[in-house]
Amino acid sequence: MTRTLAALPGAARRLCLSRRNGEICTREDGHRGLHHRTGGRLLWSDLQADPPECAAAGTPAEAAPLLDDGFPGGRSVCPVCWAFVDRDGDGLIEPHDSWRGDESRGEADRRREWFNAYGW
């Protein structure tokens, strides 16, 4: 199953966000044939794609610093997929799907603001 980035106003095209070995497909959503990175040096089929679940679940993480409006609301930045994710009561990253794009333009704007303020 190919996962896609939400349709964002002003976006020129929607990308296929299938992953293999952590690399994200750079073809357009709904493409035929193999997934690949730009340049075609890494090719894969849906059967060879990474599972949607991120491998970082269960690792220790600190809550990310907050923007003035409270974003990201106590979540941590996943060190593997760069998603903002919840932590359990012991401060461990909860199971989550790998980050595959923001759900909305607003989330994308807040995410960009956070990374501009605090870096990678």
Side-chain angles (χ1 to χ4, degrees):
M1 171 163 125
T2 302
R3 294 175 183 252
T4 58
L5 178 66
L8 300 176
R13 63 185 187 142
R14 292 170 49 143
L15 296 177
C16 169
L17 296 176
S18 175
R19 295 175 187 252
R20 177 145 191 225
N21 299 327
E23 297 288 341
I24 300 173
C25 179
T26 55
R27 297 184 72 188
E28 288 192 35
D29 182 32
H31 66 83
R32 290 182 176 197
L34 296 174
H35 301 284
H36 69 79
R37 290 290 299 169
T38 300
R41 294 184 308 195
L42 178 64
L43 302 169
W44 68 95
S45 70
D46 284 341
L47 293 175
Q48 297 166 316
D50 293 346
E53 299 84 19
C54 180
T59 60
E62 297 293 323
L66 302 177
L67 294 177
D68 290 340
D69 66 0
F71 182 84
R75 296 177 291 172
S76 296
V77 176
C78 176
V80 172
C81 72
W82 300 101
F84 287 108
V85 295
D86 292 325
R87 300 177 310 138
D88 66 16
D90 296 322
L92 303 177
I93 292 176
E94 291 191 353
H96 62 282
D97 282 355
S98 291
W99 183 78
R100 296 182 188 272
D102 297 302
E103 296 296 320
S104 68
R105 176 83 267 160
E107 179 80 6
D109 291 345
R110 294 172 85 202
R111 180 182 173 82
R112 182 180 59 252
E113 182 180 345
W114 189 92
F115 280 102
N116 283 335
Y118 297 106
W120 291 87

